[in-house]
Amino acid sequence: MKHKIAEIVKKSLKDYQDLPEIAIDIPRNKNFGDYSCNIALILAKKLEQNPREIASKLVEKLKEDSLFEKVAIAGPGFINFTLKEAIIQDTVKEVIKQDHDWGKLATRNPQPETVLLEYVSANPTGPLHVGHGRWAVVGDAIARLLRAAGYEVKTEYYVNNVGNQIDKLIASVKAAKDGKPTPEGGYGGAYIQEIAKQKAENSEEILASIIEEQKKTLGQLGVAFDNWFDESQLHDKNEVKLGVAKLHDLGMTFEEGGAIWFKSQELGDDKNRVLIRENGNSTYFSADIAYHLNKFSRADHLIDIWGTDHHGYVARLKAALKVMGLPVDKFEVIIGQLVTLYRGKEAIRMSKRTGEMVTLQEVVDEIGTDATRFFFSATDVNSHLDFDLELAKKKSNDNPVFYVQYAHARVCSILEKNKTAGLPDCQTTSLKDLKNPAERALMLKLISWPDIVQVAARLRHPQMVTEYGKELAALFHSFYEQCQVLGNPARVILVDASRIVLRNVLEMLAISAPEKM
RNA sequence: GCGCCAGUAGCUCAGCUGGAUAGAGCAACAGAUUUCUAAUCUGUAGGCCACAGGUUCGAGUCCUGUCUGGCGCACCA
């Protein structure tokens, strides 16, 4: 709908040149209409004209459009639109017609951009922690959003199955097996003892067993990856060496102390970085360069979600890719901040060294998949999160996830009661009588869903979906209190449209949409 | 010391490229059910958007500085 309005505004502006992007907003205050546009204010600055004058010229043209009941100027020069009731009603019918597709954006591009989204990618040295869970949920939701927005998305989990940490892991398991204490710098969690008790003999079996556990936990969270990519593959196929050679050919490397270095200082880094160590082994950095070269050969656009502990690393990887001529503007890194667990007021301290930690598996077991997903989707992944287990569990009845699910269950219950009458025919049933403010507000919300998907996908902000879900549920509950549905075909249609959008919202978050609660 | 991220109601958090009177949930208080699910609804109260400057018609949002917290600053990953 926003897009439609923007197009109309654009048409009315054809006398102007060099137009900025036209933004259509939903005003906070209902008195300002259903949608609004600030283009006159923006143009006023550019053209050094009175914004209200520009607006009044535009309004004259916009008034003629059949979409609007009313177009008005307000405040310093906002243009406010009120939709015709018939347009709103027709769009509600469109919701029912499109059903699962309502909220999927039509791509004008016959060859959609391919996106390779890499996330979680935890080291295969132990169980996932809560931060991983957060990034997993956010990554999965972003993948769903991008798909709905018309991108072709592949998801991937990078397994660092090479390097020091693996040697330490193996040594730790061996020590446990022999009843010796954990070696210096090794891993000491209870899971090490578990693995030691199992049949796991060689490093492959040990790794496989840990990765299996990770997969199991992620699966329980409803997160599955299209591809698990082993770092060892890059070494086996010589891609790491080739990447380093490429940098060498570009004159971006030098040798010192028996190691090969990347001249990252020339590109703004505060120090140069080692690519090949004195002992001939490659660093994590050079493997990661190779990995991203590999990914760029498979997709147009890369998105990585990294933990905040890796953020210092972004600049140097981008620098390396840029100097190699790759489109760095198509390489995004989303930094995921950590989660601090609380039980009531008490923060749960975690230490990898002592192995004293609450795993993601334990949290999912305790809180449940739906609530965990909702909580992790509901906040900006770029902000630190305090997550209170007691609150998420104990207050489950007032939990926002249940609030949204309950709206869906209520809808289904009404439709079940209406079964004997049957669903009214959308073509022949008039929605003219849906004039109550609660009905109108609900309809407007339903028709804005595709706009939410679009913006949420562009910004990679799943929290916009959970926000929308809460707002939609609230409007539905309010409507429900005021309007008797059964016996009113127009309202039955409105309820069915609500069911569709509530379900589509929950599906976007991979949260179940129960028919009964 | 340097860098990145954050600081919005008592608590947990939303707030789209700068827009109109800053929002929600929880907690608190007062009400609503002979009627389709009360896991609900209606209302009240709660704010110097960390602080100080600046940019402009207009700042929670942009710039500079300060304070507080998190995370980095390896020939670990």
Side-chain angles (χ1 to χ4, degrees), chain A residues 29-257:
Chain A
N29 190 326
K30 284 190 182 64
N31 299 328
F32 294 142
D34 302 328
Y35 291 90
S36 75
C37 182
N38 65 352
I39 190 71
L41 292 163
I42 292 168
L43 283 175
K45 189 178 262 176
K46 258 186 150 171
L47 306 173
E48 296 181 357
Q49 288 178 23
N50 184 329
R52 286 191 69 105
E53 259 170 49
I54 298 174
S56 73
K57 271 189 227 161
L58 290 177
V59 166
E60 284 315 307
K61 290 185 197 165
L62 292 167
K63 267 184 176 164
E64 291 162 18
D65 196 278
S66 59
L67 211 58
F68 309 121
E69 180 67 35
K70 203 172 116 192
V71 183
I73 308 173
F78 291 99
I79 303 173
N80 295 332
F81 305 93
T82 305
L83 293 178
K84 277 205 172 120
E85 299 305 314
I87 296 290
I88 300 175
Q89 291 154 12
D90 288 351
T91 313
V92 169
K93 290 183 176 181
E94 188 64 21
V95 173
I96 291 176
K97 201 173 137 200
Q98 291 197 19
D99 202 346
H100 280 277
D101 289 335
W102 181 249
K104 292 204 177 119
L105 309 177
T107 19
R108 269 162 246 121
N109 193 346
Q111 286 216 299
E113 192 171 11
T114 56
V115 177
L116 183 47
L117 175 63
E118 181 219 326
Y119 58 109
V120 186
S121 300
N123 276 331
T125 52
L128 300 174
H129 60 63
V130 189
H132 293 129
R134 184 184 198 194
W135 310 329
V137 165
V138 168
D140 187 60
I142 289 175
R144 287 164 195 270
L145 274 170
L146 290 175
R147 287 191 187 111
Y151 294 91
E152 198 179 307
V153 182
K154 294 280 175 219
T155 60
E156 191 156 292
Y157 189 119
Y158 182 54
V159 184
N160 296 120
N161 61 346
V162 177
N164 279 333
Q165 82 281 8
I166 302 301
D167 300 338
K168 282 181 191 164
L169 171 72
I170 307 303
S172 303
V173 173
K174 287 221 165 98
K177 214 161 193 170
D178 301 341
K180 290 178 187 160
T182 305
E184 187 71 22
Y187 298 89
Y191 68 96
I192 294 288
Q193 302 296 332
E194 284 302 310
I195 294 171
K197 269 187 244 160
Q198 292 168 8
K199 58 184 182 306
E201 289 291 334
N202 55 39
S203 62
E204 264 152 48
E205 280 175 6
I206 292 168
L207 283 185
S209 138
I210 288 179
I211 291 169
E212 247 354 273
E213 281 302 310
Q214 293 184 347
K215 273 189 190 172
K216 197 185 109 197
T217 306
L218 291 168
Q220 208 172 322
L221 258 186
V223 177
F225 289 84
D226 294 323
N227 192 25
W228 290 66
F229 189 103
D230 288 340
E231 181 188 341
S232 55
Q233 181 183 332
L234 296 167
H235 299 279
D236 295 346
K237 294 188 178 163
N238 218 27
E239 292 181 37
V240 180
K241 291 264 155 61
L242 284 172
V244 174
K246 213 167 171 182
L247 284 173
H248 175 77
D249 292 344
L250 289 163
M252 291 307 296
T253 64
F254 66 96
E255 241 185 283
E256 192 181 293

Side-chain angles (χ1 to χ4, degrees), chain A residues 257-362:
Chain A
I260 297 175
W261 297 69
F262 174 48
K263 295 180 184 171
S264 46
Q265 234 168 344
E266 283 184 13
L267 304 168
D269 202 347
D270 33 345
K271 47 187 93 160
N272 292 318
R273 308 289 171 178
V274 171
L275 293 166
I276 306 288
R277 294 200 282 263
E278 194 182 354
N279 65 10
N281 288 341
S282 53
T283 57
Y284 174 79
F285 182 41
S286 57
D288 219 20
I289 291 171
Y291 179 44
H292 285 81
L293 282 172
N294 180 300
K295 286 202 283 188
F296 258 127
S297 74
R298 292 184 281 141
D300 306 320
H301 193 124
L302 308 186
I303 303 177
D304 290 5
I305 301 178
W306 291 358
T308 179
D309 49 337
H310 288 75
H311 75 260
Y313 192 76
V314 177
R316 83 187 74 140
L317 181 58
K318 281 196 172 174
L321 296 175
K322 191 173 181 185
V323 81
M324 293 168 110
L326 288 159
V328 177
D329 55 316
K330 299 266 188 196
F331 173 44
E332 265 173 76
V333 182
I334 296 170
I335 296 299
Q337 300 292 327
L338 292 165
V339 178
T340 307
L341 284 179
Y342 283 79
R343 271 194 199 283
K345 289 200 162 176
E346 193 97 4
I348 303 174
R349 289 252 152 253
M350 297 209 226
S351 157
K352 227 177 194 177
R353 195 175 45 78
T354 61
E356 179 195 334
M357 60 181 282
V358 178
T359 63
L360 175 59
Q361 182 66 52
E362 288 164 326

